[in-house]
Amino acid sequence: MKQHDPFIWVRETRLAIPGVTREHRFLHITDTHLCVWDEQSSKEEKTESIRREGLWQPVKEEFARISGEPFGDAQKISTVNAFDKLLSLAAAEQPDALLMTGDNLDYMHPAGERYLKKRLREYGGRVLCVPGNHEAAACPGLWESGVQTMDFDGFRLVGVDNRQKTVTKPDLRRLQALCEEKVPLIVLCHIPLATAACKEDLKKLDDYFYIDEDTADDGGRAFARLCKTHPAIKAVLCGHAHGYTATMLAPGKPQIIGSQGMAGAVHRLTVA
Ligand SMILES: [Fe+2]
């Protein structure tokens, strides 16, 4: 891929974690909303994917307009072409891992799963996916139900399923146990968290788009508060809002809301 591909636009952040001795680079993409059909698709699947693809075209443009993000002819491409471009960037950059924070598929459909598995296998690098609200808790070979982890030298990525604006008790217990292991954690989830420190930044969003630490259900509140208060959790990466926001859950604890990958948004995170 040409490095100046006008489809891709990147926001960069850095995270300092004491004890991490070398730079780790991650590409974080989210909300790619793949609508796929192939020669194995049923007529119904093909029709549904074409219908959904068409529905997104004006909607992704509207999200970009609301957020003041790039949107021109380069972004008016299919979700499959968009994903191919994002993977080309990842193949060129060879990040330590590609991070996908949900709504990877626009809906659970066999052609979408086939395509995503095939493309990630061809890509060949490490990938951590969490599910979004358009997806199921598990998609074998792509993401597992429950808390997922990926270890690096001096820190750990933790994928948490919060796609239903809550986190289950077993998953909360697992996250709490990981916190007690004293390994610094970066949490990946789909839905952003709204804490006192960042509510002002999220005011622009409808409450559909976040988990409020005060008004969510028990699981949602407990998850938000654990992420906010536990010193082992160093940052949260998420999506869902279809607009980029870099905010803070608490002083020194960033939450990066990636924008819609289907319109070219990439968040590049450097951990050092
Ligand atoms: Fe989404």
Side-chain angles (χ1 to χ4, degrees):
M1 188 194 67
K2 302 189 291 290
Q3 287 300 306
H4 60 273
D5 189 321
F7 170 72
I8 303 267
W9 58 276
V10 180
R11 292 288 178 273
E12 304 240 12
T13 63
R14 290 184 70 87
L15 179 68
I17 297 182
V20 173
T21 52
R22 73 163 181 90
E23 272 197 359
H24 294 72
R25 279 155 52 94
F26 298 96
L27 288 182
H28 166 209
I29 61 175
T30 190
D31 296 275
T32 48
H33 283 273
L34 283 160
C35 306
V36 186
W37 63 94
D38 61 22
E39 65 288 341
Q40 293 179 58
S41 292
S42 64
K43 197 165 157 250
E44 292 73 26
E45 183 180 59
K46 181 176 178 182
T47 302
E48 180 62 4
S49 288
I50 291 171
R51 185 186 75 82
R52 286 171 173 264
E53 184 78 50
L55 287 176
W56 271 117
Q57 293 305 320
V59 174
K60 68 183 182 182
E61 182 163 6
E62 180 62 6
F63 272 116
R65 190 192 63 74
I66 291 167
S67 301
E69 294 179 349
F71 200 95
D73 287 345
Q75 280 70 35
K76 294 177 185 171
I77 61 175
S78 73
T79 53
V80 165
N81 287 343
F83 193 75
D84 283 344
K85 286 176 180 282
L86 295 169
L87 272 193
S88 296
L89 178 73
E93 293 201 3
Q94 295 284 304
D96 286 75
L98 176 64
L99 313 178
M100 297 175 59
T101 54
D103 288 359
N104 314 299
L105 301 170
D106 194 47
Y107 69 118
M108 299 307 294
H109 58 304
E113 294 173 35
R114 273 196 296 276
Y115 168 81
L116 192 50
K117 277 180 204 164
K118 176 174 178 286
R119 295 297 286 114
L120 292 180
R121 195 169 51 239
E122 288 165 354
Y123 163 63
R126 296 177 89 183
V127 182
L128 183 55
C129 291
V130 297
N133 56 299
H134 282 244
E135 293 159 320
C139 185
L142 289 167
W143 60 87
E144 310 304 325
S145 59
V147 172
Q148 306 175 91
T149 60
M150 186 179 277
D151 284 354
F152 292 87
D153 192 15
F155 67 100
R156 177 175 285 155
L157 304 182
V158 182
V160 177
D161 173 1
N162 74 346
R163 77 207 142 87
Q164 294 181 322
K165 295 188 79 171
T166 192
V167 175
T168 64
K169 281 191 176 134
D171 287 0
L172 281 169
R173 279 197 293 273
R174 174 79 177 125
L175 181 59
Q176 182 80 49
L178 288 166
C179 285
E180 300 315 318
E181 289 183 14
K182 309 286 186 244
V183 176
L185 304 177
I186 299 173
V187 169
L188 277 61
C189 57
H190 183 58
I191 301 188
L193 307 176
T195 64
C198 65
K199 277 189 188 174
E200 190 62 27
D201 294 333
L202 302 188
K203 207 172 60 178
K204 61 188 177 183
L205 303 175
D206 185 276
D207 66 6
Y208 167 78
F209 290 107
Y210 53 77
I211 294 173
D212 190 306
E213 68 165 341
D214 296 316
T215 61
D217 74 358
D218 289 353
R221 288 201 315 278
F223 178 56
R225 289 182 180 171
L226 184 61
C227 288
K228 175 174 103 165
T229 58
H230 202 290
I233 297 178
K234 303 302 182 188
V236 172
L237 310 182
C238 53
H240 187 52
H242 290 232
Y244 178 83
T245 304
T247 188
M248 290 284 179
L249 291 178
K253 189 175 293 204
Q255 168 173 253
I256 308 298
I257 307 171
S259 187
Q260 46 188 358
M262 63 177 160
V266 174
H267 166 223
R268 186 188 288 123
L269 169 69
T270 304
V271 176

